[in-house]
């Protein structure tokens, strides 16, 4: 199931807005995301929200304040990129990665066009790391 459907042309991208608690919302609103990711310009999202962002077409989509992924377990395999642990759900296309072990979960959906997806995560990592504190060690 796709998380979003791109609008025609370069219009706003449909990105479902998460509904986090107030503390998580404040963390997410502090994210200073880049204007370009993987060489793609930032696009408007619909509905407009400080908790979502998108770049390129098809869109790389980011949602901050999502719930813990339902399939994530303590034993799940994580990919660590520059100090951020990512839980990938590559059984679906586009691939969705969730930054875990942070006080807010950040989900990034990367269409196959932008493989390797790790390049996108590398570019978004500094903003997440600078804004969303890590949870105590061992917590996902």
């Amino acid at each position: 199931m796709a998380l979003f459907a791109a609008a025609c042309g370069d219009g706003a991208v449909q990105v479902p807005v998460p509904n986090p608690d107030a503390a998580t919302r404040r963390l997410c609103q502090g994210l200073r995301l880049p204007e370009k990711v993987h060489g793609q310009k930032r696009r408007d999202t619909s509905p407009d929200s400080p908790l979502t962002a998108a770049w390129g077409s098809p869109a790389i989509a980011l949602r901050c304040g999502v719930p813990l992924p339902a399939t994530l377990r303590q034993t799940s395999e994580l990919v660590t990129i520059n100090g951020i642990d990512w839980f990938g759900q590559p059984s679906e296309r586009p691939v969705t990665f969730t930054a875990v072990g942070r006080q807010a979960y950040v989900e990034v959906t990367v269409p196959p066009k932008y493989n390797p997806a790790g390049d996108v995560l590398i570019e978004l990592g500094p903003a997440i790391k600078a804004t969303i504190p890590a949870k105590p060690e061992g917590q996902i």
Side-chain angles (χ1 to χ4, degrees):
M1 172 175 99
L3 286 174
F4 59 91
C8 294
D10 289 327
V13 180
Q14 301 294 314
V15 181
V17 178
N19 189 21
D21 61 39
T24 301
R25 179 177 292 274
R26 277 192 300 278
L27 284 173
C28 290
Q29 288 173 332
L31 271 178
R32 297 291 169 251
L33 297 167
E35 282 304 308
K36 284 189 172 184
V37 170
H38 207 61
Q40 304 297 307
K41 289 183 184 172
R42 190 151 174 188
R43 297 178 58 189
D44 291 334
T45 56
S46 177
D48 185 34
S49 169
L51 305 181
T52 62
W55 298 264
S57 181
I60 296 164
L62 179 143
R63 300 184 334 129
C64 186
V66 297
L68 183 72
T71 57
L72 181 64
R73 304 285 177 263
Q74 282 294 117
T75 55
S76 294
E77 188 172 326
L78 302 177
V79 176
T80 302
I81 300 174
N82 295 339
I84 296 180
D85 293 327
W86 295 94
F87 174 63
Q89 295 176 288
S91 60
E92 301 175 15
R93 296 283 186 248
V95 179
T96 298
F97 292 90
T98 304
V100 297
R102 302 249 146 212
Q103 292 181 19
Y105 297 110
V106 180
E107 181 183 274
V108 179
T109 302
V110 184
K113 173 182 176 180
Y114 305 111
N115 284 340
D119 290 352
V120 171
L121 304 181
I122 287 168
E123 290 183 50
L124 292 171
I128 295 168
K129 198 170 185 178
T131 309
I132 302 181
K135 288 184 174 183
E137 193 169 333
Q139 291 186 16
I140 54 174

